[in-house]
Amino acid sequence: MTAGHAPPGLLVRYATGDHLPADAVWALEAHLEGCAGCRHRLGEAVRAQSPAVAAVVDTVFAAVAPVVRAEPASPRRRWPALLRWAAPVAPAWLATTVVVLLAAMLLDLASAQVGQVRPSLLLLIAPVVPMLGVAASWNRSLDPAYELVACTPRAGLGLALRRTLAALLVVMPPLAVAGAVVGAAPVRWLLPSLVFVVGALALGAFVGVGRAATAVTVGWVGAVVAPSLVRSRMPTVLDPDSTPVWAACAVLAVGAVFLWRDAFQRDASHR
């Protein structure tokens, strides 16, 4: 792009169907979504270079425009802009997450009432609770509009990150509230949770985000949660002293996602 706009030659080649590198097409289509000036210049290029195509477009527009104008306007959605990026199945998965949090909090409170000494179940599962939202963020089998989404210019890592962030905005507040009720300080679970979320996205580029989130959750439950409940003591990995290690892991996970970002355009990441 030159001066924030597409070069004229690139628009002409795109309008005439000339062969362009895939990355150039991807960047141009993503730019056209938000640039009215370039869309106008593309229309002019189509009329100048491919008048037959322009005539077909005008004919279709003339037939469709009256029908579109006759349709009642859709009600404005009042959801925050970011939450509109959430996956279609996200509400059900996020509701399940809240139910799991509520159950863990009630179990912790019940144990405290009867004087039972055992590790906080909420604190143990807090690092992997957001995995439910991550699993639904970029998954072929959970997205009924997968084919339409996957072929758009914004598909790939950018959409996966937006959907994941939208899920986290819903999950993190009730998780923080439940943690405050049972005394599970965020400093003990927030950074591990970030590591697992980003790590699942990095691994998901090759095996699928849903499979990666499942693998992370099962691994944590088998390696940490179950042994901690059997021994009735908190694992050392959730001690505040482990924060530097988790911070290093977070940096590595973010770096892995950045290096493997192009892998989200491959079919494997949708499994």
Side-chain angles (χ1 to χ4, degrees), residues 157 161 194-206 247-264 266:
L157 179 59
L161 290 176
L194 173 63
V195 171
F196 289 146
V197 167
V198 181
L201 290 174
L203 181 61
F206 300 98
C249 292
V251 172
L252 292 175
V254 171
V257 170
F258 178 77
L259 290 175
W260 299 335
R261 61 190 183 280
D262 293 339
F264 276 85
R266 302 170 189 164

Side-chain angles (χ1 to χ4, degrees), residues 129-188:
V129 162
M131 289 297 103
L132 286 172
V134 175
S137 66
W138 192 238
N139 194 313
R140 179 202 300 264
S141 60
L142 296 178
D143 190 349
Y146 158 75
E147 288 81 4
L148 294 176
V149 173
C151 67
T152 60
R154 296 296 179 89
L157 179 59
L159 181 58
L161 290 176
R162 287 183 176 90
R163 287 183 169 183
T164 299
L165 183 56
L168 293 180
L169 287 177
V170 177
V171 171
M172 287 304 182
L175 180 54
V177 172
V181 171
V182 301
V187 70
R188 303 183 67 180

Side-chain angles (χ1 to χ4, degrees), residues 72-123:
S74 301
R76 292 181 61 85
R77 294 181 293 182
R78 300 186 181 275
W79 286 96
L82 183 60
L83 293 183
R84 297 174 191 171
W85 286 97
V89 296
W93 285 66
L94 296 176
T96 302
T97 303
V98 174
V99 170
V100 170
L101 291 175
L102 180 61
M105 183 187 70
L106 293 177
L107 287 173
D108 283 350
L109 293 176
S111 298
Q113 287 290 332
V114 300
Q116 183 180 1
V117 179
R118 67 170 181 81
S120 170
L121 180 60
L122 181 67
L123 180 57

